[in-house]
Amino acid sequence: LAHRVASAMDWNFRKFDEAIAEAETAVALDPNDPDGHIALAWALIFSGRPQAALPAIDRAMRLDPLHPDIYAYILGMSRLGMEQFEDAVRLLERARLRSGQERDVNIPLTVAYERLGRHNDARIALQRYSDVWSMFSSAYVDDVMSWWPFKRESDIRRFGTGLIGAGLCCADRLERYIENVRRGGTLE
């Protein structure tokens, strides 16, 4: 548990190599714990390696044959990172309906809808996010992006422009966010 938590803390603080190392340690200590594999998958996704996350997600699903629908969420995130937007939508919609992750799933779902040109669905998903998280109603794109600490600029732009396209303010704030991340030295 400690290594899984440390991994999440590391990627939240944009320490991506450390996040992967902590998650790998969690897996090494208990290779039969699906949550360790999921910790590794999240670290890889935020580190810009969504394809590399697939074996960890698959292993977690095999270890937990009841397949909690949270796996659809992380698998959808991986597909979104690989720009497989139709698969991402299918998986994220399933996760939204069944996983209890309504708030979190709606942001990547907004991005995937927007990338597919489903602008109305994107606006609805963004509104659903706002409905379940009241402090979001006055948020800007950089506020939301701070909860999605991607390493690669291309991932930040994919998310940020998707959210802006769905109606979240403002493009200049996305550029300022990217510049702030660059100054932190962790953007690729």
Side-chain angles (χ1 to χ4, degrees):
L1 175 63
H3 293 286
R4 293 190 329 248
V5 171
S7 177
M9 289 174 62
D10 284 337
W11 54 254
N12 270 295
F13 286 107
R14 310 188 64 72
K15 298 177 181 177
F16 300 104
D17 293 338
E18 293 92 334
I20 292 169
E22 288 287 356
E24 287 173 338
T25 299
V27 169
L29 289 172
D30 189 355
N32 293 318
D33 178 12
D35 292 334
H37 294 277
I38 291 303
L40 179 57
W42 279 118
L44 291 166
I45 288 168
F46 284 121
S47 296
R49 299 170 50 199
Q51 178 108 21
L54 294 176
I57 298 167
D58 182 61
R59 178 76 174 144
M61 289 171 35
R62 283 188 282 118
L63 288 168
D64 184 2
L66 298 179
H67 289 15
D69 287 300
I70 190 68
Y71 298 139
Y73 174 28
I74 194 165
L75 193 53
M77 284 291 297
S78 182
R79 298 293 186 207
L80 184 59
M82 293 186 291
E83 298 187 354
Q84 296 174 358
F85 302 121
E86 290 179 11
D87 284 343
V89 163
R90 179 181 51 80
L91 290 159
L92 293 167
E93 284 177 341
R94 180 176 140 202
R96 187 187 69 214
L97 292 172
R98 300 185 196 161
S99 74
Q101 298 289 317
E102 172 92 19
R103 182 191 72 183
D104 297 332
V105 170
N106 276 309
I107 289 296
L109 190 55
T110 296
V111 173
Y113 283 145
E114 189 64 29
R115 289 297 182 164
L116 288 172
R118 293 173 58 181
H119 307 296
N120 191 51
D121 289 332
R123 282 188 286 281
I124 291 168
L126 189 60
Q127 183 60 50
R128 282 186 180 139
Y129 183 79
S130 178
D131 290 346
V132 296
W133 196 29
S134 61
M135 77 180 236
F136 173 76
S137 61
S138 62
Y140 295 96
V141 69
D142 52 326
D143 297 328
V144 176
M145 289 304 302
S146 68
W147 294 97
W148 300 91
F150 294 104
K151 180 178 184 177
R152 292 188 312 189
E153 184 172 346
S154 60
D155 293 329
I156 294 170
R157 286 193 184 281
R158 178 182 314 109
F159 250 66
T161 58
L163 294 170
I164 291 166
L168 193 60
C169 186
C170 302
D172 63 318
R173 291 182 71 116
L174 176 61
E175 293 307 316
R176 197 169 335 142
Y177 174 80
I178 290 170
E179 185 56 37
N180 287 337
V181 171
R182 277 191 190 127
R183 275 183 275 181
T186 59
L187 184 63
E188 286 184 355

